[in-house]
């Protein structure tokens, strides 16, 4: 059985969190002389002279409506990366505990582990990019605190089998983090509705991808109230700035626009896959539930340089284990995708000479 006290670091359990001026007085007032802010205003003519809401309730309440989950089960971070870092700082003792990652996958889990001096046990995906359940079971020991599952996975693009994730959630006593950065593009549904079922579940999502707000740095974690309280205790008091909160709230009114972009991106993805299949040096296109595709070619370096020369940048993943020969290509606008295809076809021609 999962019990948060078994994995929470002792220093975090005993931590007295920073108490800000905004924590100590929450009522209505007309004169605020409690936070050493500039009472005269800001040069920007907005209320940026005031500290922002430390718990971002307006944004969370709107997200609660959109996601169908209570606001108390939501944490907002300065990107998902902040949520990942807090997981290490709250639950993993440096030099003692370990986490499991399932490569090829998102690089931040390992970087964050290294920063926090936490051992990473890598259990590679199978060649079909699904979980190696036996190897995961073998890798777990009494110091394993977190298993990171990225679904849809970056850079492979596929969703992880739901039944396998549920098996881990039901049988593993540590935290199971499901990174759903690309869930909006997926045929699979989110695990958010499973939060009531599994107390060890943490779901990561972000405004950086489908919501088109990578520049604002707003990531989300969904988890039990008990876990969210730990996040809030450890985070810097004002981790989401006022401008980001205001703009995120404004953007979250435009659900229809986002849904249209998602539909268009998915349609473009399928079109691009169909077109790429016709190109002889494209050896394989992996099925994608994301806004990118992983494409195996005979000459990834040559194609990458050829595209760069034409001002088109893709991600070279050809050195990554299990992604040999692969480029990761983000789905662009229809016009960008046409230009990409033309550029690729011109490589095909020069290659023949
Ligand atoms: C892009 C991405 C994120 C998003 O990170 P932010 O810090 O929220 O921008 C998280 N996880 C994965 C797997 C990603 O590819």
């Amino acid at each position: 059985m999962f019990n948060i006290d078994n994995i929470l670091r002792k220093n975090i359990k005993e931590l007295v969190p920073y108490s800000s001026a905004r924590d100590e007085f929450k009522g209505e007032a007309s004169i605020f002389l409690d936070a050493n802010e500039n009472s005269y205003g800001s040069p920007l003519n907005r209320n940026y002279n005031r500290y922002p809401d430390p718990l971002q309730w307006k944004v969370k309440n709107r997200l609660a409506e959109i996601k169908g989950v209570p606001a108390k089960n939501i944490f907002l971070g300065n990107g998902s990366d902040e949520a990942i870092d807090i997981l290490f700082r709250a639950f993993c003792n440096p030099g003692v505990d370990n986490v499991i990652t399932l490569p090829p996958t998102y690089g931040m889990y390992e970087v964050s582990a290294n920063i926090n001096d936490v051992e990473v046990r890598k259990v590679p995906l199978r060649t079909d990019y699904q979980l190696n359940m036996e190897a995961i079971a073998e890798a777990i020991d009494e110091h394993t605190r977190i298993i990171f599952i990225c679904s849809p996975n970056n850079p492979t693009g596929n969703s992880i089998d739901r039944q396998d994730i549920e098996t881990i959630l039901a049988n593993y006593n540590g935290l199971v983090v499901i990174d759903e950065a690309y869930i909006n593009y997926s045929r699979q549904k989110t695990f958010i509705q499973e939060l009531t079922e599994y107390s060890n579940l943490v779901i990561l999502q972000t405004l950086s991808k489908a919501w088109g707000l990578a520049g604002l740095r707003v990531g989300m974690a969904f988890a039990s109230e008990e876990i969210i309280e730990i996040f809030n205790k450890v985070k810097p008091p004002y981790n989401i700035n006022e401008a980001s909160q205001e703009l995120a709230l404004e953007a979250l009114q435009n659900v229809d626009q986002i849904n249209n972009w998602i539909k268009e991106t998915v349609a473009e993805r399928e079109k691009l896959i169909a077109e790429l299949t016709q190109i002889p040096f494209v050896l394989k296109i992996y099925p994608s539930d994301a806004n990118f595709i992983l494409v195996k070619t005979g000459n990834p370096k040559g194609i990458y340089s050829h595209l760069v020369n034409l001002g088109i940048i893709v991600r070279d993943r050809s050195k990554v284990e299990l992604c040999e020969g692969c480029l990761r290509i983000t789905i662009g606008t229809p016009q960008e995708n046409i230009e990409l295809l033309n550029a690729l076809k011109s490589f095909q021609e020069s290659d023949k000479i």
Side-chain angles (χ1 to χ4, degrees):
M1 265 292 290
F2 174 77
N3 179 346
I4 198 165
D5 284 329
N6 293 341
I7 63 165
L8 187 59
R9 285 174 60 179
K10 187 165 166 290
N11 61 311
I12 302 300
K13 200 179 300 182
E14 293 167 357
L15 176 72
V16 180
Y18 176 74
S19 182
S20 69
R22 290 292 169 270
D23 288 321
E24 288 177 12
F25 179 82
K26 287 194 179 115
E28 293 288 318
S30 53
I31 301 180
F32 283 96
L33 303 176
D34 59 344
N36 297 348
E37 299 151 338
N38 185 336
S39 301
Y40 296 83
S42 99
L44 297 175
N45 267 332
R46 298 192 212 163
N47 58 343
Y48 294 156
N49 57 321
R50 298 296 175 190
Y51 281 101
D53 175 4
L55 291 171
Q56 311 102 12
W57 285 114
K58 283 186 189 155
V59 183
K60 284 185 193 170
N61 286 334
R62 178 68 191 127
L63 278 169
E65 288 173 5
I66 295 173
K67 302 287 177 183
V69 62
K72 64 181 194 305
N73 295 108
I74 306 176
F75 164 80
L76 296 185
N78 183 2
S80 318
D81 296 343
E82 184 176 31
I84 294 167
D85 182 60
I86 291 177
L87 285 165
F88 282 101
R89 288 192 287 143
F91 297 106
C92 302
N93 290 290
V96 176
D97 293 326
N98 66 72
V99 301
I100 292 177
T101 66
L102 311 166
T105 193
Y106 187 48
M108 268 318 281
Y109 317 135
E110 187 176 358
V111 172
S112 218
N114 290 339
I115 291 169
N116 288 285
D117 192 19
V118 171
E119 180 199 346
V120 180
R121 299 194 167 180
K122 296 185 200 175
V123 181
L125 296 173
R126 304 184 319 211
T127 50
D128 63 357
Y129 296 150
Q130 290 298 329
L131 305 186
N132 184 338
M133 295 294 278
E134 275 179 29
I136 292 170
E138 276 170 31
I140 297 170
D141 71 9
E142 74 269 31
H143 290 295
T144 306
R145 293 291 175 258
I146 308 173
I147 301 177
F148 287 94
I149 302 172
C150 188
S151 182
N153 187 39
N154 177 5
T156 59
N158 62 296
S159 294
I160 303 299
D161 284 343
R162 203 175 178 87
Q163 191 49 57
D164 283 350
I165 298 178
E166 296 223 25
T167 301
I168 294 175
L169 277 166
N171 294 290
Y172 169 59
N173 289 333
L175 291 176
V176 179
V177 175
I178 308 180
D179 188 339
E180 295 187 336
Y182 300 99
I183 193 67
N184 306 75
Y185 304 104
S186 177
R187 299 161 184 87
Q188 298 293 319
K189 67 179 198 335
T190 170
F191 268 84
I192 286 180
Q193 272 67 47
E194 263 50 63
L195 280 175
T196 46
E197 186 100 6
Y198 301 108
S199 52
N200 57 342
L201 172 58
V202 177
I203 297 149
L204 301 181
Q205 292 189 7
T206 179
L207 297 186
S208 297
K209 306 289 157 66
W211 282 93
L213 297 171
L216 288 194
R217 311 308 302 128
V218 181
M220 307 164 250
F222 303 90
S224 71
E225 225 181 316
E226 172 175 68
I227 293 172
I228 297 297
E229 277 171 13
I230 301 301
F231 272 103
N232 289 337
K233 201 171 162 184
V234 174
K235 79 180 184 72
Y238 304 109
N239 62 325
I240 310 283
N241 68 67
E242 178 64 21
S244 287
Q245 291 193 40
E246 281 173 9
L247 293 170
L249 188 61
E250 189 184 327
L252 290 168
Q253 308 308 321
N254 296 342
V255 180
D256 290 343
Q257 161 88 84
I258 299 309
N259 283 336
N260 287 336
W261 274 335
I262 292 167
K263 272 196 208 113
E264 186 165 0
T265 305
V266 168
E268 281 294 307
R269 177 181 78 200
E270 299 313 311
K271 223 167 86 189
L272 191 59
I273 291 173
E275 297 270 357
L276 287 170
T277 313
Q278 310 295 318
I279 298 179
F281 58 81
V282 170
L283 305 177
K284 182 163 184 175
I285 305 154
Y286 291 89
S288 172
D289 262 345
N291 66 339
F292 59 85
I293 46 176
L294 190 69
V295 180
K296 197 185 195 82
T297 73
N299 183 358
K301 283 219 139 326
I303 294 162
Y304 178 84
S305 312
H306 175 72
L307 292 176
V308 168
N309 288 336
L310 295 168
I312 301 173
I313 317 300
V314 299
R315 195 88 197 263
D316 183 358
R317 300 279 78 188
S318 60
K319 295 246 166 48
V320 175
E321 209 178 319
L322 292 173
C323 297
E324 292 81 4
C326 290
L327 300 172
R328 192 194 69 188
I329 305 176
T330 305
I331 308 303
T333 62
Q335 186 55 40
E336 289 173 336
N337 299 332
I338 288 169
E339 288 183 33
L340 169 80
L341 281 165
N342 288 339
L344 285 171
K345 284 172 189 160
S346 71
F347 178 78
Q348 183 182 2
E349 281 150 21
S350 61
D351 207 26
K352 276 186 207 145
I353 300 166

